[in-house]
């Protein structure tokens, strides 16, 4: 240590100032890279994590609102399900302009009905079946479909039912 002190004192005052400035720069660099930079990076990562979690929370709130809305609609659908099945089938077919294409609607037990179409546009039939399921809880129990001569038209025998 004594040799280092003698070496230092043997330098010109200008050199000593430069050595002190260099030592201070090295100490500042060590402090910055070993303490400040890791802290700042950690804080930035945590801020991004909080931001991502806030976004996820907002999405969850939106989803919860959507679930509440759909549950309310489901309650409305259950009220509609109290209508007789044949009446539900008839009214939805009329609203989709399919009623005149139905050859036969007949009950099959308490919670089912058979519907026969001689010729119906396939796309319209599928949309009607989807509407029945979504709005009235009526599901297809069985279906037989045959292609007709007219493109896009089919002959269909459908058994529709409602659970419960």
């Amino acid at each position: 240590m004594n040799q280092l002190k003698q070496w230092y004192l043997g330098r010109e005052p200008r050199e000593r100032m430069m050595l002190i400035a260099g030592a201070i720069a090295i100490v500042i660099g060590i402090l910055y890279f070993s303490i400040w930079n890791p802290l700042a990076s950690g804080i930035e990562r945590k801020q991004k994590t909080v931001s991502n979690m806030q976004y996820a929370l907002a999405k969850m709130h939106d989803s919860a609102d959507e679930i509440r809305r759909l549950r309310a609609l489901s309650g409305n659908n259950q009220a509609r399900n109290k209508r007789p099945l044949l009446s539900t089938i008839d009214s939805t077919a009329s609203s989709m302009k399919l009623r005149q294409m139905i050859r036969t609607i007949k009950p099959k037990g308490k919670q089912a009905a058979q519907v026969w179409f001689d010729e119906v546009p396939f796309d319209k039939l599928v949309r009607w079946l989807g509407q029945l399921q979504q709005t009235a809880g009526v599901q297809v129990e069985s279906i037989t479909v045959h292609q007709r001569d007219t493109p896009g038209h089919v002959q269909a025998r459908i058994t529709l039912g409602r659970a419960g």
Side-chain angles (χ1 to χ4, degrees), residues 102-113:
I102 295 175
R103 186 175 105 199
T104 305
I105 300 178
K106 63 181 181 178
K108 185 177 178 187
K110 282 188 170 187
Q111 294 295 326

Side-chain angles (χ1 to χ4, degrees), residues 123-146:
D123 292 343
K124 246 183 167 178
L125 178 66
V126 171
R127 279 195 301 275
W128 175 63
L129 293 172
Q131 180 186 6
L132 275 172
Q133 183 174 1
Q134 287 178 346
T135 62
V138 176
Q139 296 189 351
V140 175
E141 290 182 359
S142 69
I143 187 168
T144 304
V145 179
H146 298 283

Side-chain angles (χ1 to χ4, degrees), residues 52-104:
N52 289 341
M53 291 198 166
Q54 286 173 333
Y55 176 77
L57 180 63
K59 283 293 203 182
M60 285 182 209
H61 283 296
D62 290 345
S63 295
D65 292 341
E66 181 71 7
I67 288 168
R68 280 188 217 99
R69 185 185 70 76
L70 291 173
R71 281 187 180 155
L73 285 176
S74 175
N76 291 343
N77 287 345
Q78 288 176 2
R80 285 186 206 141
N81 287 349
K82 298 198 187 293
R83 286 179 54 194
L85 180 60
L86 295 178
S87 173
T88 301
I89 291 170
D90 190 59
S91 65
T92 56
S94 294
S95 72
M96 301 262 319
K97 305 214 181 336
L98 290 174
R99 181 62 187 104
Q100 67 276 10
M101 296 178 201
I102 295 175
R103 186 175 105 199
T104 305

